[in-house]
Amino acid sequence: DIVDDRVTGILVDPGDIKGITQAILNLLSDKELRLKMGREGRKKISSKFDSLTMVSKIRDVYEELLLSKTKKSVL
C-alpha cells in the first residue's frame, strides 16, 4: 500500500537477488531518482498517515466496535 513501484520506491520479488542488486545500483547512480522517490514517499505518507487522518481512522474503528457490541447485546 505504501510503495508504488518506480514512484515511491522500487518493488522487487522476494528472493530476487539480481533484482535487488540492480535496484540498489540504479538508486546509487541516479541522485534525481532518489530525490524524486523520497519526495513522493513523504507526500504519500503525510497524506495517508497524518495525525488527523489517523485519529479519524481510529475513531471509526472504535465506533464500528461499539456498534457491533451494541447489536450483539440487543440480540
Side-chain angles (χ1 to χ4, degrees):
D1 287 346
I2 295 172
V3 177
D4 293 323
D5 196 27
R6 311 293 295 158
V7 177
T8 59
I10 299 174
L11 295 175
V12 178
D13 290 328
D16 183 359
I17 302 301
K18 287 182 182 179
I20 191 76
T21 301
Q22 189 59 54
I24 291 169
L25 291 173
N26 288 345
L27 289 170
L28 285 172
S29 66
D30 191 340
K31 182 178 181 180
E32 186 55 39
L33 180 61
R34 290 191 313 266
L35 294 173
K36 181 182 172 206
M37 285 185 178
R39 283 190 302 270
E40 292 300 316
R42 278 187 291 282
K43 279 196 302 191
K44 187 169 186 176
I45 292 298
S46 48
S47 70
K48 284 189 151 206
F49 299 103
D50 70 352
S51 58
L52 292 176
T53 302
M54 294 307 296
V55 167
S56 176
K57 288 180 178 182
I58 291 168
R59 185 196 65 231
D60 292 347
V61 169
Y62 277 108
E63 287 176 354
E64 186 177 321
L65 288 170
L66 284 170
L67 285 173
S68 160
K69 187 167 176 99
T70 302
K71 286 179 183 176
K72 285 181 182 177
S73 65
V74 170
L75 296 176

